[in-house]
Amino acid sequence: MLDYAHVELTLAKRWYRRTALGKTVAGLGFAFTIFSLCAAVALGLIMLTGGIDNEALLPVAWIGAGLSACAILGFFVPWALTPYRQWDRTLNGIAVMVLVIATLALGAALVRRWEAASNAVLAVPFLLLAAFAVGVIVAHVRLRVTEKPPAVDVASLTPSDIEVLRKVRRRTLKILRSRNIVAYKDFHGYDDAPFDTMPGSARRDGGRA
């Protein structure tokens, strides 16, 4: 029995059901998320250094705050649509990072003397961004599911299901190998092992327990 195969198969089927256009849109969406994340970092630097203090200041602040929120949403929405949502270290880290950026930018907006806008007006987008980041962090905690997904019987899997799980296992093993958790000499042994080698072997064979 494989404990988390249900989640992996559900996500894989969702991806494979997409048309070529859908996959392209998903790829562009991820690229936009990364761009928004870079914009969030740039926004923090601009506010801390006072790099812009002219008529473009307020538009830059609002656009930067909006893109920063998009960066969080780009990770939060896929996680929220995942069945049996588990703790996502990446999502939590992004939300905390944006919260720190918003807090620093808010401090700069209130403390620094700006020629192009009043401190109170300039602080609004960063206050809203900080509140949004906190809301996502809270939602990430509240929406997590502690219940384990139903175990999948190996005998009930189709050849395509097995292939999907092998790809997931190979990706996980590569990550573990890069972190020196799995030795190079053991990689192929784990990667080639059947899922039903022995009862309770789901963890060893790449399933998560």
Side-chain angles (χ1 to χ4, degrees):
M1 303 293 283
L2 304 178
D3 290 340
Y4 282 84
H6 173 80
V7 175
E8 300 294 353
L9 290 173
T10 300
L11 294 177
K13 289 176 181 177
R14 182 189 301 169
W15 172 258
Y16 291 129
R17 279 200 305 265
R18 291 175 176 168
T19 62
L21 177 60
K23 292 180 180 180
T24 301
V25 171
L28 291 175
F30 181 74
F32 179 72
T33 298
I34 300 302
F35 170 78
S36 299
L37 193 58
C38 295
V41 175
L43 175 65
L45 293 175
I46 288 173
M47 293 303 299
L48 289 177
T49 61
I52 297 178
D53 193 6
N54 51 40
E55 63 276 2
L57 178 60
L58 275 179
V60 166
W62 279 103
I63 292 173
L67 289 174
S68 300
C70 289
I72 299 178
L73 285 176
F75 289 93
F76 178 77
V77 172
W79 175 82
L81 296 176
T82 302
Y84 296 92
R85 294 175 295 272
Q86 305 296 306
W87 174 265
D88 190 319
R89 182 170 55 185
T90 301
L91 169 60
N92 188 69
I94 294 297
V96 170
M97 185 187 79
V98 172
L99 175 60
V100 170
I101 291 174
T103 303
L104 293 175
L106 177 61
L110 293 175
V111 173
R112 184 185 293 271
R113 183 181 297 276
W114 302 91
E115 299 294 336
S118 67
N119 297 76
V121 172
L122 186 58
V124 172
F126 306 120
L127 185 61
L128 293 176
L129 178 60
F132 178 75
V134 170
V136 169
I137 293 172
V138 172
H140 181 228
V141 174
R142 297 291 297 273
L143 295 179
R144 277 188 295 163
V145 177
T146 56
E147 177 187 358
K148 293 179 65 175
V152 175
D153 186 357
V154 177
S156 68
L157 296 174
T158 65
S160 61
D161 291 338
I162 292 291
E163 184 59 28
V164 167
L165 293 178
R166 286 190 182 280
K167 290 179 180 179
V168 172
R169 181 172 65 182
R170 184 173 297 114
R171 183 175 67 244
T172 303
L173 285 171
K174 287 181 178 179
I175 294 173
L176 295 177
R177 185 180 62 183
S178 68
R179 297 175 181 175
N180 294 322
I181 297 175
V182 171
Y184 277 83
K185 63 183 180 63
D186 297 328
F187 178 86
H188 291 292
Y190 287 126
D191 190 36
D192 296 334
F195 288 100
D196 57 350
T197 300
M198 59 179 292
S201 63
R203 179 188 295 273
R204 187 186 66 187
D205 287 341
R208 291 176 290 180

